[in-house]
Amino acid sequence: MALKRFSKTLRTFVLLALVLSGTKHVFATSYFVEAEAFDVKGDGWKPFAAGGQPAVGAASGVKTLCGAAGAGDSVATTQIEIPVGGEFRLWVRYMESPYRGPFVVKVKQNGVEVATQIFDRERRPNIPDWAFAWSPIDHIKLAAGFATVEFEKFEGKAASGYARHIDCILLTNDMQLVPSHEQYGPQTWLRVTLGDVYENPVYVEIFADHYRAPWYEHYSISKAGLENMIQPSKPDSLFHSGESTGWINITPMVYEDTGALLMASVRESYTKGTPRLKAKFEFATAASDSAIVKTFERDVTFGIPGATRPGAIGLIVPPNLTTKENIDRLVMEIDIANATGKIADNFKWPTIGKPPERYPFTVAEGVHGSFPYDTKVMERELKTLDYFGFNNAIHKVVGSNTWLTKNNCYSQPDIEGMKVAAREI
C-alpha cells in the first residue's frame, strides 16, 4: 500500500492496493479529497467550519464546502491523476437537511464530460436530518491521465444556508469498497496491557461519552479487536492476566471535532466487572512503539464498600494527537481532579462566619457519579468540596415521595403525611 499527497489539496490521499489474480496484477485505487480543498472560481463556494453550524462537526476535517450563497455560476474543481484506466465509482459525502440545495457533480477528462449527476434534488431515505452520508455516481469510464471533478449549483440557484454542505469525495475502482472518511484523517491508536491480577479471562469495555449526538456508544476490546458492542462477539476471545491488546485503532470512537471521554473498565462479562483495574494504557499516532505520545499506568479500585460495579478510569481523549496542544489535553480523570484540587488548595478561603446550624445548606454532588471512579479520585474531589463547608456525608436523597398534598393541591401540603414518609426513608 502506498500513500501519496497531492500538492494542490490540503488533505488528499491515494491508496493503492496490489492484488494478485492469477498472473495478472490488478490495482485497487482510491482517491480521497476534502471538498473544502477544491479550487474555487467565483465566490459561490466557501469552506465552512463547524462553529457556524454545529452539524458540520460530523464532517471530516470538521469542515465542508458550502455552496448555498454567492454567484450562481461559481464552480469548485479538483484534479486527480489516474495511473491506470478503467471503470470507477465516485462517492460524494454531503449533509442531509430538511432543506434542498441541489448541486451538480461532473467528472471530465480532456475537456469532455464523462459523468454527470445531480445530488440533493430530494431527500435521501433512511438518512436523518443533519447527518452526513455517501451517495455514488456509478460506471465512470476513465483513461490514464488527469481527471477533473467539478461542483456546480443546480440551475445556478442559491439555497438555504443549512443545505449544500459537501464534505468530501472518494473516487475508486474498487466496487466492493464501503466508503469511510475516518481512515483518511489523523489516526489514534491505543494499546492496553493488563496487570497480573486477574484470575479469569477478561476484556476491556469502553463507554465513549461524546459531547454531541450520537451522545454515547459502547465498545469492547478483545482478541477479536475493537467492536461496537458491550461485550465481545466471541466468548473465547478474552484476554488472560498480563496479556496485551496489541495496537487498536480507536479513531472511530474519537470524534474529529470534540474528542471523547472514554470510561474504561476490565470485565469478565458486561454484567460481571472486576472491582480492580490494573493496566497500562498507551496512546500513539500509528501502530508502532515509536509513535507513542503518552502512557498511563493505573492500579485502581472502586471506593464504595460492598459495591459490585467494576473499577474504571476516565480518559479525556482529544480529536487527534498530532499537536502538542492536543497531546497535553490527553489526560486522566485523576489529573483533572488533582489540577482542580491544587487550585482549591491554594485559594484563600474566607475564615469568618461558621457553618449554618438551623438552616443547613445542602448540595447533591455525585462524586462517583454513574461510573465507579478510583478511590483516590473520590478522596481528592471530596477534599476539594470540603473547602466550601460541605460535610461530605453521604445521605439518602429525600425524593418526591415525601412531598404530599391534600386534594391534589400544592397550596394544601399534607404536613403530617410528609412527616410519616420522611421517617420511613
Side-chain angles (χ1 to χ4, degrees):
M1 181 176 290
L3 180 66
K4 177 180 179 182
R5 182 185 294 260
F6 285 94
S7 61
K8 278 197 173 183
T9 56
L10 299 179
R11 290 177 63 199
T12 305
F13 297 95
V14 181
L15 296 180
L16 300 174
L18 177 61
V19 181
L20 296 180
S21 176
T23 59
K24 295 183 179 180
H25 297 288
V26 180
F27 286 90
T29 312
S30 297
Y31 309 84
F32 176 88
V33 187
E34 293 283 4
E36 64 270 18
F38 275 44
D39 295 321
V40 175
K41 179 181 178 181
D43 67 349
W45 295 91
K46 295 182 179 180
F48 194 98
Q53 167 63 266
V56 172
S60 62
V62 203
K63 288 183 180 179
T64 64
L65 183 67
C66 182
D73 60 352
S74 179
V75 297
T77 62
T78 192
Q79 280 198 328
I80 299 173
E81 186 176 4
I82 309 297
V84 180
E87 182 175 338
F88 287 79
R89 172 179 289 152
L90 178 67
W91 290 98
V92 181
R93 189 173 191 255
Y94 65 95
M95 187 175 74
E96 190 67 45
S97 82
Y99 310 95
R100 303 277 61 81
F103 60 96
V104 183
V105 179
K106 297 180 179 180
V107 182
K108 299 179 180 180
Q109 210 168 28
N110 300 318
V112 178
E113 291 184 16
V114 294
T116 302
Q117 186 163 310
I118 302 171
F119 290 85
D120 203 30
R121 295 185 75 170
E122 54 188 36
R123 70 170 302 113
R124 292 169 289 181
N126 304 318
I127 298 175
D129 290 337
W130 317 120
F132 284 87
W134 297 91
S135 292
I137 302 177
D138 288 319
H139 310 301
I140 303 174
K141 301 290 186 179
L142 294 174
F146 283 95
T148 300
V149 179
E150 182 177 279
F151 298 152
E152 296 180 2
K153 301 183 181 188
F154 179 62
E155 297 181 341
K157 295 180 179 179
S160 164
Y162 294 103
R164 206 176 278 158
H165 282 273
I166 307 175
D167 180 21
C168 51
I169 64 169
L170 182 66
L171 181 67
T172 181
N173 63 358
D174 183 356
M175 301 306 158
Q176 306 303 314
L177 178 68
V178 177
S180 170
H181 67 284
E182 292 175 341
Q183 62 181 301
Y184 299 99
Q187 305 294 293
T188 300
W189 295 78
L190 170 67
R191 180 170 64 189
V192 183
T193 302
L194 299 173
D196 55 356
V197 297
Y198 302 104
E199 296 181 359
N200 300 316
V202 293
Y203 72 99
V204 179
E205 197 272 340
I206 295 181
F207 178 86
D209 189 356
H210 301 129
Y211 307 111
R212 63 165 174 79
W215 296 103
Y216 63 88
E217 292 178 298
H218 286 275
Y219 290 89
S220 63
I221 298 178
S222 68
K223 293 179 181 178
L226 179 69
E227 297 180 282
N228 194 182
M229 53 184 61
I230 60 176
Q231 60 186 34
S233 58
K234 300 177 180 179
D236 60 351
S237 66
L238 274 59
F239 297 108
H240 293 284
S241 185
E243 286 191 314
S244 169
T245 65
W247 287 112
I248 301 292
N249 191 333
I250 63 169
T251 306
M253 72 169 74
V254 181
Y255 287 7
E256 282 192 87
D257 57 334
T258 59
L261 165 60
L262 306 183
M263 296 300 306
S265 60
V266 177
R267 302 171 185 251
E268 296 178 18
S269 68
Y270 184 67
T271 57
K272 188 176 181 181
T274 61
R276 184 178 180 185
L277 183 153
K278 183 179 182 181
K280 178 169 67 174
F281 295 79
E282 298 169 284
F283 288 84
T285 54
S288 168
D289 287 7
S290 62
I292 296 174
V293 297
K294 191 166 283 189
T295 299
F296 302 109
E297 293 195 53
R298 293 290 294 276
D299 186 355
V300 308
T301 54
F302 182 33
I304 301 297
T308 58
R309 290 188 292 172
I313 68 168
L315 294 156
I316 307 297
V317 184
N320 60 70
L321 300 174
T322 59
T323 65
K324 181 181 183 304
E325 178 185 10
N326 277 358
I327 293 173
D328 290 342
R329 291 170 59 195
L330 175 60
V331 296
M332 298 180 291
E333 87 288 19
I334 194 168
D335 297 325
I336 297 175
N338 286 336
T340 305
K342 185 176 180 180
I343 296 173
D345 291 343
N346 295 329
F347 187 77
K348 294 183 179 180
W349 296 92
T351 57
I352 61 173
K354 62 178 182 178
E357 297 177 353
R358 186 170 182 179
Y359 299 101
F361 180 77
T362 61
V363 62
E365 175 62 32
V367 175
H368 54 83
S370 301
F371 291 95
Y373 283 116
D374 180 7
T375 302
K376 293 180 180 178
V377 175
M378 294 176 60
E379 290 174 348
R380 174 64 258 192
E381 296 284 38
L382 289 172
K383 179 182 177 183
T384 301
L385 276 177
D386 190 54
Y387 286 114
F388 291 88
F390 304 134
N391 61 13
N392 296 335
I394 299 176
H395 298 289
K396 293 183 178 179
V397 176
V398 178
S400 58
N401 60 326
T402 59
W403 176 255
L404 304 176
T405 62
K406 297 177 181 178
N407 302 319
N408 293 321
C409 178
Y410 286 107
S411 298
Q412 301 179 40
D414 184 357
I415 302 299
E416 294 304 317
M418 286 191 281
K419 289 180 179 179
V420 173
R423 286 195 294 267
E424 294 176 352
I425 294 179

